[in-house]
Structures are given as structure tokens and as C-alpha cells.
Amino acid sequence: MIKLSPIILEGHGIRLEPLTIEHETDLSAAAADGELWNLWFTSVPNPEETRKYIETALAGYQAGHMLPWAVRELSTGKIIGSTRYHDVMANIDRVEIGYTWYSKSWQKSHVNTVCKLLLLAHAFDTLGCKVVGLRTDNFNFNSQKAIEGLGAKKDGILRHHAMRRDGSVRDSVMYSILITEWPSVKQHLRFRLSRHGTL
């Protein structure tokens, strides 16, 4: 059975730091790059809600179903986003990766590939997960494309599944990667990074 604890994950110029209240100011500044909270189908907090966003993530860790990180880009030293494991089901060795967002200036760069490689490697190679899930809003087409680009398989769509920040209810597009698929996915992600010149 997997057991989660805060840990720094680092590679290819990116560091995933266990999320703390001390990240509040930097995380708010990261979200301001592109005013990401205006994207109604994402979980990005507006500046006034950043502390609550962090506190909710930390409460999820204390309850045993989340493990959140802040994403730091090492060449600038700046916090550029956040991600986490969530919906952790330790008894069946499953985690999901989500609540992922990056400053607009770092979107469509190597950052997401690096973060997913670090998170998937930790899940499969260290924690011993048997499956890693990913999900996104049915209107978040960029996220769906990014998840599919990782090599995850689409499991289906859960209709009327979760409430958005604006109070509307979304359908969730569900994906997963099995432990048997991880070697090929890892090779694919490392190849993508080599094309970015980060390996």
C-alpha cells in the first residue's frame, strides 16, 4: 500500500517543492501572469483566494488524499505554478495528478513534460503505484490535448461530475496510465525533453 509524504522532486531545471503557506505571494504572482483565474474551467485561484487554495490543499494532505507542490523554475528562481496528487486511493495503489497550472509565459514549454515525468516517476518507481489517473474539464481542450500528448489513455467521460469555481457543474474527461505502460510513457517523455534540449 502506497504511503505519501512531502518530498522535493527536481530535474531538468524544475523543482517541485512541497506546497506551504509561505508560497502564497509567489503563487499569486504566478497566477497573475495571464490572469489565469479568469479561465472558468480551471482551479487557478484569484489573488484573494490564494491562501484558501493552499490551506485546502494542505487540509487534503492531512486527510490523506492529496499531496501538493509548488513548481519552481530554477533558471529564474520563480514559482511558476502548482500541481498535486489527489484522489489518493492508497489501498489500491492509485493516485491522480491534477490541479495543475502554470503561468501563461511557461505554458506550451517543456515545463509540463518535466513535471509529469517527475510526478509519474515518483508515483510508479518510488511509491509503487499500479495506476496514475488524470482528469480535466470537458471544456479544457488544451488540457485534454496535453494529457493525451503524455501518452495517457482516455477512460471515458463522467457526466455532471464536479462543481467548478463559478458554481456550474462540469463533465470530467478521465485518463489513466497503467504501470505496464509506464516504461513506454517514460521513454516518450524523455524523448520529448531531448527535443527541448533539456536532457
Side-chain angles (χ1 to χ4, degrees):
M1 187 169 72
I2 62 172
K3 183 176 181 180
L4 300 180
S5 58
I7 185 173
I8 293 173
L9 303 175
E10 184 175 322
H12 314 290
I14 298 295
R15 179 188 299 140
L16 301 184
E17 304 174 359
L19 185 65
T20 69
I21 290 297
E22 284 68 37
H23 287 113
E24 179 184 0
T25 300
D26 289 339
L27 208 62
S28 181
D33 178 359
E35 297 187 354
L36 301 177
W37 56 85
N38 288 324
L39 297 174
W40 54 277
F41 49 75
T42 73
S43 62
V44 184
N46 66 41
E48 295 76 24
E49 297 175 341
T50 303
R51 175 171 284 264
K52 181 181 178 182
Y53 176 86
I54 296 173
E55 288 173 346
T56 299
L58 296 179
Y61 168 67
Q62 291 299 326
H65 60 81
M66 285 187 179
L67 185 59
W69 285 272
V71 181
R72 188 180 299 277
E73 200 283 318
L74 295 178
S75 71
T76 62
K78 291 183 178 181
I79 295 295
I80 62 169
S82 185
T83 191
R84 68 185 78 163
Y85 292 150
H86 67 94
D87 285 79
V88 175
M89 302 179 71
N91 59 326
I92 60 169
D93 300 321
R94 176 188 173 94
V95 301
E96 291 191 33
I97 296 172
Y99 295 86
T100 301
W101 57 270
Y102 311 107
S103 301
K104 186 171 179 60
S105 59
W106 288 98
Q107 294 175 13
K108 298 183 179 179
S109 71
H110 67 289
V111 170
N112 187 55
T113 301
V114 172
C115 288
K116 293 304 190 291
L117 179 60
L118 293 172
L119 291 167
L120 289 167
H122 185 63
F124 286 124
D125 299 337
T126 302
L127 297 178
C129 288
K130 301 297 189 296
V131 59
V132 174
L134 304 102
R135 68 176 74 171
T136 191
D137 192 289
N138 58 300
F139 282 108
N140 195 341
F141 303 116
N142 286 338
S143 179
Q144 292 171 45
K145 184 177 179 181
I147 293 171
E148 291 167 8
L150 298 172
K153 300 291 193 301
K154 186 175 180 178
D155 296 321
I157 299 175
L158 295 180
R159 305 292 301 277
H160 200 77
H161 178 243
M163 186 173 289
R164 301 185 181 100
R165 288 182 296 119
D166 67 356
S168 62
V169 181
R170 80 179 201 182
D171 297 345
S172 294
V173 187
M174 309 294 291
Y175 297 86
S176 64
I177 300 170
L178 300 174
I179 182 64
T180 53
E181 298 164 343
W182 168 231
S184 294
V185 170
K186 177 164 54 175
Q187 182 180 27
H188 167 63
L189 295 180
R190 291 181 63 84
F191 175 72
R192 287 179 65 171
L193 288 177
S194 71
R195 298 184 70 182
H196 277 287
T198 59
L199 280 181

